[in-house]
Amino acid sequence: MAIDVIIADDHPTIVAGVVCILRSVKAIRITGTANNSDELVKLLETMPCDVLVSDYMMPNGTLGDGFEMFSWLRRRYPDLRIVAFTVIDSPAIARQLTQIGVRACINKSVDPSYLIAAIRTACTDDASFSRRAICR
């Protein structure tokens, strides 16, 4: 059974790269991509999604970005499994995100295998991955 994944990032090159990497994984199916929080909400309302991989800083949407956006997503979609994908290397932000239920916070500079592992692990109840993989 494939894991349905939505990718959200305001940088089209990042989205294209992540999609390319994840398409090579048979157990993962990309069901949509978004460039801001407005597009993301529209996708979440219409497309299947087991795991959301979203940039932390994604401006130009009415929900804002960062902690505010992730908090809103957790309230609106409590069963959604979220992997934050960011250039920010902050254990404090990672702790805040995991405290509200974000499954993992992966730095964009790490090997893509970490992102793949985070997506797979997000579908389990193993909360230890997010603490190990956070921001290198």
Side-chain angles (χ1 to χ4, degrees), residues 9-75:
D9 196 297
D10 60 316
H11 296 93
T13 304
I14 296 293
V15 172
V18 171
V19 167
C20 183
I21 290 164
L22 297 182
R23 280 199 176 136
S24 69
V25 181
K26 291 179 184 176
I28 295 174
R29 178 175 47 221
I30 306 298
T31 59
T33 62
N35 296 110
N36 60 51
S37 60
D38 297 330
E39 290 178 15
L40 175 57
V41 171
K42 286 179 185 175
L43 275 175
L44 290 171
E45 294 294 326
T46 59
M47 300 302 294
C49 183
D50 299 313
V51 177
L52 166 63
V53 175
S54 179
D55 191 4
Y56 183 80
M57 298 298 292
M58 194 169 53
N60 302 322
T62 56
L63 286 180
D65 62 0
F67 190 78
E68 178 184 350
M69 179 186 74
F70 284 104
S71 295
W72 186 90
L73 288 169
R74 292 297 305 137
R75 287 190 307 272

Side-chain angles (χ1 to χ4, degrees), residues 53-111:
V53 175
S54 179
D55 191 4
Y56 183 80
M57 298 298 292
M58 194 169 53
N60 302 322
T62 56
L63 286 180
D65 62 0
F67 190 78
E68 178 184 350
M69 179 186 74
F70 284 104
S71 295
W72 186 90
L73 288 169
R74 292 297 305 137
R75 287 190 307 272
R76 171 79 175 174
Y77 306 99
D79 296 328
L80 180 62
R81 291 141 193 254
I82 301 173
V83 173
F85 192 49
T86 182
V87 296
I88 298 171
D89 200 6
S90 169
I93 290 174
R95 270 191 305 280
Q96 284 182 318
L97 291 175
T98 56
Q99 287 172 352
I100 63 166
V102 171
R103 295 292 179 121
C105 186
I106 305 297
N107 191 290
K108 289 180 181 178
S109 67
V110 300
D111 187 275

